[in-house]
Amino acid sequence: MNTMHENKILIGWGHQDITPELPVMLHGQFYLRLATEVLDPVTVTALAIESENKSSRIVMVSLDLVCVPDYVRDEVRREISEKCPDLEPENIFLSATHTHEAMLMSGIERIAWPDVEGFDREKVTRFIIDRTVEAIQEAWASRSPGAISYGVTTAVVGTNRRMCYNDGTARMYGDTSVDEFINIEGDCDHNVNLLFTYDQKNKLTGMIVNVPCPSQVTETIDQVSADFWHETRCEIRKRHGDNIYILPQCSSAGDQAPHIQINPASQRRMLELKYGSDIPLAWRQEIANRLADAVDEGLAITSKDIRDKVILKQECIQINLPIWMLTKEHVELAKKEMAEWQKKLDNLKPDLLDKIYSASHSKIKYYRNIIERYGQQAERSGFFTEINIVRLGDIVFATNRFELFLDFGRRIKTRSRALQTFIVQLAGLGTYLAPHRSCGQAYGATPMDGEVGPEGGNVLVEETIQRINDMFNENLNPFSGARF
């Protein structure tokens, strides 16, 4: 029997700028990029929601970063437990938008570059932690009676980025103009899940915008940037007020990207006619307009159903996933690749700003990690990771640390008893998690790209669904399985 009851809620928002001092090393490619300019600010945004009777509370945090390493999450929680003793650390979860134009933090194992003179990873990491703690404190301190509305609209932002060929192979960002191209590997998701918050007078205060696409339009530039989330925030605030808080979330999108794969020339012409010749920034603005339109539609519809009393329930769970076992063949391939990259490195003059030189360092470390994993895997009992499940009225948020392929997210959404399910990926360090149909097919879908494979993905799905549905008990989604 469901013993949970609706309560009035308190809502608070916090926001901080995490744009670093320059120069800064950027994270998101195998090669080093040194940013000496800021294209637009990167930020952290926090939303605190608490039941008025103090029985349940949650703080959701979004950062314009590639990922959120566990030690960053743990340090933020430790400091918050000291500064806000009535806020339990496990009631906080952090996720990243996956911009490839944000700062490199310390402890990212794949990256083997030495620090560039004038840049200190530890200092940058400390700065991000400090500002995140400040945003959470601000959100927690500003709690006041409020209300929410929620809904789902659509906007074409991301598409599947894995192309298949008639020889049975697949490639990320593969060429679609060649004769061998036969189809796109998977589906895409154009749903935009929205949560709006209001004050006691039903005035809009902020929103969560959950999009199944990483923010990677201009992912190779040498400037600090939040990517399309910058233009999106600007466009939404232009329409709804400068003081509106916007918390972006990336839904399951391990195989998705905001890059046009089919007939890109025709799309490029349309962007040029509409915005001008700077196509990457034009595409970012186009995405911003589409998302702002989706927000406008969602707000107009859901404002007819604003609720100041909801069930709030949160769980933070550690689950154990089976690891993706490496084989001797993977080790032999890793040794061969290491030797090839070492040969390239030996023939280059030391220059960290040379792409091949810095990529060689990263690739050698990447393949060395594979060899080390193989030697340790027999002793491992599994891959422990955290998931967070948050019930808010009829909707639910479910986090994972991965770049989770869309197939897994779809399974969670379709079997969830919640009326609306917000998947939040990259609530952690972030490695690819691919389904069976993608396995072995190029970067992002091999045991060398992630410690958890399709079997682990299946466990993640089942654990997440079970935890979601336990929160709803007999309160089934009335539209589950319906077609219309």
Side-chain angles (χ1 to χ4, degrees):
M1 182 176 179
N2 193 338
T3 59
M4 289 180 283
H5 301 285
E6 292 184 343
N7 285 284
K8 289 194 173 184
I9 53 175
L10 306 175
I11 295 172
W13 283 96
H15 177 83
Q16 293 289 327
D17 193 319
I18 57 171
T19 308
E21 294 180 0
L22 300 175
V24 66
M25 297 165 72
L26 299 180
H27 184 195
Q29 305 293 341
F30 274 102
Y31 58 87
L32 184 148
R33 291 168 297 147
L34 186 68
T36 57
E37 294 180 341
V38 174
L39 181 60
D40 48 76
V42 286
T43 64
V44 54
T45 304
L47 168 62
I49 305 177
E50 182 182 35
S51 296
E52 192 176 48
N53 66 359
K54 312 297 182 184
S55 62
S56 298
R57 55 189 62 88
I58 183 66
V59 179
M60 302 184 233
V61 183
S62 174
L63 300 103
D64 292 323
L65 296 173
V66 169
C67 59
V68 184
D70 289 353
Y71 73 90
V72 171
R73 176 203 65 201
D74 293 343
E75 181 60 20
V76 167
R77 286 175 170 173
R78 186 191 68 78
E79 294 190 18
I80 285 295
S81 68
E82 296 176 355
K83 298 176 185 294
C84 304
D86 53 341
L87 176 58
E88 295 86 350
E90 63 269 18
N91 291 143
I92 303 166
F93 74 75
L94 287 67
S95 64
T97 61
H98 209 54
T99 172
H100 276 200
E101 301 106 83
M103 306 75 72
L104 174 65
M105 293 182 287
S106 56
I108 306 297
E109 293 182 359
R110 185 180 87 167
I111 305 302
W113 319 315
D115 283 340
V116 174
E117 185 177 353
F119 174 70
D120 185 341
R121 294 186 216 189
E122 295 290 345
K123 181 179 178 181
V124 168
T125 305
R126 183 68 255 172
F127 173 69
I128 293 169
I129 291 171
D130 289 345
R131 287 296 176 89
T132 302
V133 169
E134 290 172 18
I136 295 171
Q137 285 182 279
E138 180 185 345
W140 193 241
S142 66
R143 301 184 324 280
S144 61
I148 63 168
S149 69
Y150 45 83
V152 59
T153 54
T154 59
V156 178
V157 178
T159 59
N160 193 288
R161 60 182 176 175
R162 294 175 57 84
M163 305 299 116
C164 298
Y165 301 90
N166 57 20
D167 62 356
T169 62
R171 289 192 291 279
M172 185 184 292
Y173 301 130
D175 189 351
T176 59
S177 67
V178 298
D179 294 342
E180 294 77 17
F181 169 69
I182 52 173
N183 63 273
I184 298 172
E185 181 182 82
D187 200 0
C188 52
D189 184 358
H190 301 316
N191 286 329
V192 179
N193 281 290
L194 299 164
L195 172 75
F196 300 102
T197 65
Y198 307 84
D199 64 15
Q200 283 184 292
K201 297 181 179 180
N202 285 350
K203 179 182 178 182
L204 181 69
T205 57
M207 66 188 72
I208 290 176
V209 185
N210 180 289
V211 181
C213 185
S215 50
Q216 294 177 358
V217 173
T218 49
E219 60 181 319
T220 61
I221 63 173
D222 297 334
Q223 297 165 296
V224 174
S225 173
D227 208 273
F228 68 71
W229 279 114
H230 171 70
E231 286 84 357
T232 300
R233 285 188 282 245
C234 289
E235 187 63 31
I236 291 172
R237 288 181 177 133
K238 183 171 72 174
R239 302 183 189 191
H240 298 283
D242 292 338
N243 296 323
I244 297 298
Y245 291 93
I246 301 162
L247 192 153
Q249 291 176 339
C250 186
S251 185
S252 50
D255 52 348
Q256 309 292 299
H259 296 297
I260 298 168
Q261 299 287 143
I262 304 297
N263 297 326
S266 62
Q267 296 295 321
R268 181 185 181 94
R269 172 179 172 270
M270 295 300 289
L271 288 171
E272 189 169 354
L273 289 171
K274 189 172 183 178
Y275 298 104
S277 59
D278 192 332
I279 300 303
L281 291 183
W283 182 227
R284 282 173 47 160
Q285 185 59 53
E286 176 66 16
I287 289 173
N289 290 343
R290 293 178 183 184
L291 288 174
D293 289 346
V295 166
D296 290 350
E297 180 185 21
L299 182 61
I301 296 170
T302 67
S303 60
K304 300 173 183 177
D305 184 20
I306 296 176
R307 304 182 184 189
D308 64 354
K309 292 177 67 177
V310 296
I311 292 172
L312 176 61
K313 175 76 172 176
Q314 185 263 353
E315 282 190 313
C316 178
I317 310 112
Q318 290 288 328
I319 63 174
N320 187 17
L321 306 178
I323 61 173
W324 202 353
M325 302 296 284
L326 294 161
T327 65
K328 290 181 179 180
E329 288 74 18
H330 293 127
V331 173
E332 292 305 313
L333 177 60
K335 289 179 178 178
K336 179 181 177 182
E337 291 290 341
M338 270 184 68
E340 291 295 324
W341 283 101
Q342 186 64 54
K343 188 184 300 182
K344 291 180 182 180
L345 190 62
D346 292 341
N347 291 324
L348 293 170
K349 293 180 180 179
D351 180 4
L352 279 174
L353 298 183
D354 177 83
K355 288 185 178 181
I356 301 300
Y357 182 83
S358 60
S360 298
H361 274 284
S362 291
K363 288 289 189 177
I364 291 168
K365 178 69 179 295
Y366 171 80
Y367 288 113
R368 183 180 293 121
N369 287 342
I370 290 163
I371 297 168
E372 291 173 357
R373 270 178 55 200
Y374 179 77
Q376 299 165 358
Q377 65 185 10
E379 301 173 2
R380 295 186 61 183
S381 58
F383 184 93
F384 287 89
T385 186
E386 176 181 293
I387 61 173
N388 295 269
I389 310 297
V390 180
R391 177 179 177 179
L392 188 59
D394 295 331
I395 69 174
V396 73
F397 294 82
T399 76
N400 68 83
R401 62 166 281 160
F402 301 101
E403 290 188 67
L404 190 70
F405 274 49
L406 186 60
D407 286 6
F408 293 121
R410 278 274 171 80
R411 286 166 55 189
I412 294 170
K413 288 183 178 181
T414 54
R415 292 172 57 195
S416 168
R417 289 180 178 175
L419 183 64
Q420 192 175 335
T421 301
F422 293 64
I423 305 292
V424 186
Q425 71 167 23
L426 291 161
L429 185 57
T431 50
Y432 288 104
L433 208 173
H436 278 293
R437 69 166 165 178
S438 303
C439 287
Q441 295 293 324
Y443 179 71
T446 77
M448 296 165 44
D449 304 316
E451 295 184 67
V452 178
E455 296 305 327
N458 293 339
V459 174
L460 174 69
V461 167
E462 295 303 322
E463 287 276 359
T464 301
I465 292 169
Q466 183 64 53
R467 299 289 181 164
I468 290 173
N469 291 345
D470 284 349
M471 280 192 182
F472 285 81
N473 293 332
E474 75 277 8
N475 295 335
L476 298 177
N477 172 1
F479 301 106
S480 179
R483 296 181 177 87
F484 58 90

